[in-house]
Amino acid sequence: MTLDNTAELSNEESGLSVKNLNKSFKAKKQQKAILKDLNFMIPEGQITAFLGPNGAGKTTTIKILLGLIKPSSGDIRYKGNEKYLKYTGAVLEGSRNIYWRLSAVENFEYFGALKGLNRKKSIDNGLYFLKLFDLYDKKDIDTRSLSRGQQQIVAICCALLNYPKILFLDEPTLGLDLKASEKIQLILKELSQKNKMGIFLTTHEIKIAQNISDHVIFLDKGSIIYKNKTSQIKDKAERTEYLLDFKRPLSNTELKTIRSFGQLAVDENKKYLISLDHQVSFQTFLMAVSRLPVCAMQQKSLDLESLFKRYIK
Ligand SMILES: Nc1ncnc2c1ncn2[C@@H]1O[C@H](COP(=O)(O)OP(=O)(O)OP(=O)(O)O)[C@@H](O)[C@H]1O
Ligand SMILES: [Mg+2]
């Protein structure tokens, strides 16, 4: 089954460009390729969702982009500049990388100083974000006494202290309740739009990617297998798909008839899946189908999740 995956992320937008990125690790005396020739952009002012199954190489990619591990080869630049690390902020997978013996405010002071901010600016910025996340009343409590989700929020606030140009978030909503997750999504959208932040996030919650991302990149076994603007996927999602089961295989003429209504694919159970073109009238389609040896017709909606399942097998 094929869908259009030729759309490239626009190269005209400025941001972080990643070219021909490769990474191999040594395992049992052999080099194993973990990332294979990745090419993509993290455009400024937009959210890019980096999706893929466990072990695909998402965290490894982020660690390379953060300078924490060396790539085997590749070219990474922010607006043409190789020295971009000072413009980045990050929260890595599950690490909630804050000092547990320190309060949120003390963490802001510490991480702000590391980022070159003075004490006042560090605390002001940190508290501004803490307030946005409705966690202001916990500002002076040792972070080890906070819940997992609250610690995650403090870590995100620390990553935001210096308003980074590129923010990396590895599973930012993992373990958060619905309200906190929705809050983060809203704030990320706002930061990307108002502060022109380029946000690169991984998530296994496809709905989040569908809600807030401007671009999606699917990674599978170290290779990018699909990338597109989310709006174009949403376009597809608005198309109606029908799963058709016929009593016998269709003749070429019958196939031609059905193809005239949209994009046709055959699924693993030998059922025909048609994605109707926008201009097609459902009545006309139904009339045509009724003239064929149809035994069942089922409507399907195509969203990012079904697209994901289709690509990641
Ligand atoms: N230091 C290392 N040495 C050897 N192999 C490694 C190393 N770090 C990661 N890998 C391997 O690289 C692959 C990609 O791992 P990575 O953590 O990047 O996946 P991921 O896409 O983030 O997965 P998840 O969704 O589970 O977080 C895995 O097969 C992992 O075992
Ligand atoms: Mg990971």
Side-chain angles (χ1 to χ4, degrees), residues 23-27 32 34-35 50 52-63 69 93 170-171 202 204 219:
K23 176 70 188 173
S24 315
F25 284 117
K26 214 171 187 174
K32 188 168 177 250
I34 299 293
L35 299 177
F50 195 39
N54 295 130
K58 303 179 298 292
T59 300
T60 308
T61 306
I62 292 185
K63 284 184 176 166
I69 43 182
E93 187 178 47
D170 204 355
E171 286 282 347
T202 75
H204 286 288
L219 190 73

Side-chain angles (χ1 to χ4, degrees), residues 176-208:
L176 296 189
D177 64 32
L178 195 63
K179 196 167 154 241
S181 165
E182 283 175 351
K183 191 104 211 175
I184 288 194
Q185 293 177 53
L186 260 173
I187 293 171
L188 292 181
K189 197 76 206 167
E190 210 173 290
L191 285 168
S192 73
Q193 288 171 346
K194 283 199 186 144
N195 299 85
K196 292 257 163 280
M197 219 176 259
I199 299 176
F200 189 72
L201 62 88
T202 75
T203 179
H204 286 288
E205 292 175 71
I206 310 294
K207 287 248 150 54
I208 292 181

Side-chain angles (χ1 to χ4, degrees), residues 245 266-271:
D245 203 1
V266 185
D267 83 355
E268 52 275 15
N269 303 315
K270 300 264 180 302
K271 287 187 178 175

Side-chain angles (χ1 to χ4, degrees), residues 138-175:
K138 307 273 190 226
K139 68 185 171 58
D140 295 314
I141 298 174
D142 278 5
T143 47
R144 66 182 151 182
S145 315
L146 298 179
S147 77
R148 227 174 85 97
Q150 290 167 338
Q151 289 165 348
Q152 170 86 352
I153 287 171
V154 175
I156 295 177
C157 293
C158 286
L160 287 170
L161 284 176
N162 60 337
Y163 288 85
K165 302 273 185 227
I166 318 142
L167 178 68
F168 295 95
L169 297 172
D170 204 355
E171 286 282 347
T173 54
L174 190 73

